[in-house]
Amino acid sequence: MSKSLEQSALVESSWGKLYGVGAGPGDPELITVKGLKILQRSPLVTFPSGRNGKPGIAQQIISTWLRPDQKTLALDFPYIQDDEALQQAWDKAATQVLQYLQQGQDVCFVSEGDVSFYSTFSYLAHSVQNLSSGVPDNLTCSGSISSSGPEIITVPGICSPLTAAAMAGHPLTLRQQKLVVLPALYDAAALSQLMDFADVVVLMKIGKEYQKIWSILREKNCLEQSYIVERASWPEQKIYRDLGDHPALSLDYFSLWIIPVTESPPPFGNLTV
Amino acid sequence: MSKSLEQSALVESSWGKLYGVGAGPGDPELITVKGLKILQRSPLVTFPSGRNGKPGIAQQIISTWLRPDQKTLALDFPYIQDDEALQQAWDKAATQVLQYLQQGQDVCFVSEGDVSFYSTFSYLAHSVQNLSSGVPDNLTCSGSISSSGPEIITVPGICSPLTAAAMAGHPLTLRQQKLVVLPALYDAAALSQLMDFADVVVLMKIGKEYQKIWSILREKNCLEQSYIVERASWPEQKIYRDLGDHPALSLDYFSLWIIPVTESPPPFGNLTV
């Protein structure tokens, strides 16, 4: 081996790559071709663990695509609000993943929807980066410090607002419409005020706030054109329209409320994918 | 044939199905598996025509997937503001598509990005629906009127904000962050005001407004963390950071400005897909 090649080998990273792949909203075929290729060639596929002993959402979505020889690893991302405990959980998950990356093995992490849009992948990737920064690169026998860490590659996925609109046969946005996405309702007054500005509002989590939101929409005359999509693209998907007739509804956690504030055409599609 | 089967045949639609498929942002592998399947089994694939004799964006994206025996049809969606002329163009495109649908042939329309998110598909689908409503269904020899028209099926695609964030290695949104998407800048004062509310703002079209936006972001101390992605996921993709150093930039039409208004972590990824 020539000297220059030897030197080049010394600086080349031995880290495996961390892929973040959006599994899409639920229908297994709504993953991208690129995402599926990466998923299927990865020896190790990781995803957020489920609750109560059930497989997690992303795991359910991709299960039909996994080969029997692929290793899987469920990572614990607890549903808690405490910042310190969350950071500990992300670091623990990152440490598990780093064990493989450090051995030069690629790891594919999948989460439901998109991996940049309110996704656990963001936390995992940051912890992996933070914990690997300054870790000796085990190929470089000289013990030189790699400050770069593993390469992290993000492959986008279909997020739920796009899916909900498609399933309901509505355009989500048209022409010059301003879109606002709210991950939760914090403040009824703020939502009301916001509707003077936005053309379309998407509420990502409804939960126990249904009646509060319903009252605001009634007051703003937006109930009629609004719709809710529960579990978009899953076999158990439900679409709720004519919300004026539903002052109370009990909805799944994965339910989106789409509120066309300004004029919107009637739906053109149907519920088939 | 029994009487009941005969009757059932009479009410069954003879229309072909209209599929709207999001081709994704540019990288051909960022189409969904479902979208690709529908695209490849469609005898007729349509898309918006390009400008100056060049193939359109969606056509460029899907060209690698087309089989030589598939028929293609470019539909004219002019870049104009006049409502009446636009409606005429949409109706003309719909009439072209309806010729095939009425013969029972499925048609696949593809557009770049997603088909519900600022997409020409919404206009085509509405014109198809409006023009087909009340058209006699040519299977029902009794001449009964089908008021339903062809089935319209929407398959979502990866939209550009998700892609831009992925390519830049940033989360687009985290936890409780409020996202605002503006298709264009109308009013500098409104953008400034909006930034008091939003955690993340995406400006979809920048065009000649670069300097105006740049000044607002500087005033709001948001230049440093903002970034621009030009032609996300295309081979010619460019990412602009450190925008404080760029008071003037000449950008492609397909450029997105992503503005994290509130605290945002540093990027974890790189530019590889």
Side-chain angles (χ1 to χ4, degrees), chain B residues 3 48 54 63 93 105 115 125 129 133 144 181 193 205 207-208 215 219 247:
Chain B
K3 181 85 181 167
K54 286 184 191 160
S63 61
Q105 193 176 310
V115 273
Q129 194 175 47
S133 167
S144 71
V181 179
Q193 205 181 343
K205 280 179 203 151
K208 292 169 185 164
S215 302
E219 196 183 296

Side-chain angles (χ1 to χ4, degrees), chain A residues 2-94:
Chain A
S2 76
K3 181 83 181 167
S4 63
L5 267 175
E6 205 176 347
Q7 281 173 332
S8 135
L10 280 175
V11 292
E12 202 174 296
S13 171
S14 68
W15 289 99
K17 289 176 182 156
L18 173 60
Y19 292 93
V21 171
D27 179 337
E29 292 198 341
L30 290 177
I31 193 171
T32 65
V33 172
K34 181 173 291 264
L36 182 57
K37 275 190 180 176
I38 291 168
L39 175 72
Q40 292 196 314
R41 73 167 187 238
S42 294
L44 177 65
V45 177
T46 69
F47 31 70
S49 59
R51 284 193 281 184
N52 309 320
K54 288 184 191 161
I57 302 294
Q59 186 182 3
Q60 291 174 41
I61 296 172
I62 59 150
S63 61
T64 54
W65 299 120
L66 290 176
R67 294 189 321 269
D69 62 317
Q70 283 182 292
K71 205 168 156 177
T72 59
L73 174 66
L75 300 169
D76 187 30
F77 295 97
Y79 289 74
I80 51 174
Q81 295 297 321
D82 180 67
D83 279 349
E84 204 175 316
L86 275 172
Q87 190 61 55
Q88 278 174 8
W90 300 333
D91 285 350
K92 188 182 162 196

Side-chain angles (χ1 to χ4, degrees), chain A residues 27 29-37 65 81 83 86 90 114 116-119 121-123 125-126 129 151-159 162-163 165-167 169-184 186 194 197 205 265-270 272-273, chain B residues 27 29-37 65 81 83 86 90 114 116-119 121-123 125-126 129 151-159 162-163 165-167 169-184 186 194 197 205 265-270 272-273:
Chain A
D27 179 337
E29 292 198 341
L30 290 177
I31 193 171
T32 65
V33 172
K34 181 173 291 264
L36 182 57
K37 275 190 180 176
W65 299 120
Q81 295 297 321
D83 279 349
L86 275 172
W90 300 333
D114 176 57
S116 305
F117 188 72
Y118 306 106
S119 171
F121 179 65
S122 300
Y123 312 114
H126 274 102
Q129 193 175 48
E151 193 177 358
I152 299 174
I153 296 157
T154 313
V155 181
I158 304 284
C159 63
L162 303 183
T163 315
M167 297 300 111
H170 276 283
L172 181 65
T173 50
L174 288 171
R175 300 180 85 170
Q176 303 296 314
Q177 289 189 324
K178 307 177 202 92
L179 170 69
V180 175
V181 179
L182 298 179
Y186 325 83
L194 170 66
F197 154 79
K205 280 179 201 150
F268 48 77
N270 51 39
T272 326
V273 188
Chain B
D27 178 336
E29 292 198 341
L30 289 178
I31 193 172
T32 63
V33 172
K34 182 173 290 265
L36 182 58
K37 276 190 178 176
W65 299 122
Q81 295 297 323
D83 280 350
L86 275 172
W90 299 334
D114 176 57
S116 307
F117 189 72
Y118 306 107
S119 171
F121 179 65
S122 300
Y123 311 115
H126 274 101
Q129 194 175 47
E151 193 177 358
I152 299 175
I153 296 158
T154 313
V155 182
I158 304 285
C159 63
L162 302 183
T163 315
M167 297 301 111
H170 276 284
L172 181 65
T173 50
L174 288 171
R175 299 180 84 168
Q176 303 296 314
Q177 289 189 324
K178 306 177 202 93
L179 170 69
V180 174
V181 179
L182 298 180
Y186 326 82
L194 170 65
F197 154 79
K205 280 179 203 151
F268 48 77
N270 52 40
T272 326
V273 189

Side-chain angles (χ1 to χ4, degrees), chain B residues 10 72 96 101 188 197 204 218 266:
Chain B
L10 280 176
T72 59
Q96 290 175 269
L101 296 173
F197 154 79
M204 299 276 293
R218 190 176 57 170

Side-chain angles (χ1 to χ4, degrees), chain B residues 38-185:
Chain B
I38 291 168
L39 175 73
Q40 291 196 315
R41 73 167 187 237
S42 293
L44 176 66
V45 177
T46 69
F47 32 69
S49 60
R51 284 193 280 185
N52 310 318
K54 286 184 191 160
I57 302 293
Q59 187 182 0
Q60 291 173 43
I61 297 171
I62 59 149
S63 61
T64 55
W65 299 122
L66 289 175
R67 296 189 321 266
D69 62 318
Q70 282 182 292
K71 205 168 158 177
T72 59
L73 174 66
L75 301 169
D76 187 30
F77 294 97
Y79 288 74
I80 51 175
Q81 295 297 323
D82 180 68
D83 280 350
E84 204 175 317
L86 275 172
Q87 189 61 57
Q88 277 174 9
W90 299 334
D91 285 349
K92 188 183 163 194
T95 305
Q96 290 175 269
V97 165
L98 275 165
Q99 284 175 3
Y100 297 89
L101 296 173
Q102 256 189 305
Q103 288 163 23
Q105 193 176 310
D106 291 348
V107 176
C108 175
F109 177 85
V110 287
S111 71
E112 64 268 26
D114 176 57
V115 273
S116 307
F117 189 72
Y118 306 107
S119 171
T120 45
F121 179 65
S122 300
Y123 311 115
L124 177 69
H126 274 101
S127 282
V128 162
Q129 194 175 47
N130 289 338
L131 296 177
S132 62
S133 167
V135 169
D137 184 326
N138 67 359
L139 227 200
T140 58
C141 302
S142 62
S144 71
I145 301 299
S146 156
S147 63
S148 59
E151 193 177 358
I152 299 175
I153 296 158
T154 313
V155 182
I158 304 285
C159 63
S160 53
L162 302 183
T163 315
M167 297 301 111
H170 276 284
L172 181 65
T173 50
L174 288 171
R175 299 180 84 168
Q176 303 296 314
Q177 289 189 324
K178 306 177 202 93
L179 170 69
V180 174
V181 179
L182 298 180
L185 181 75

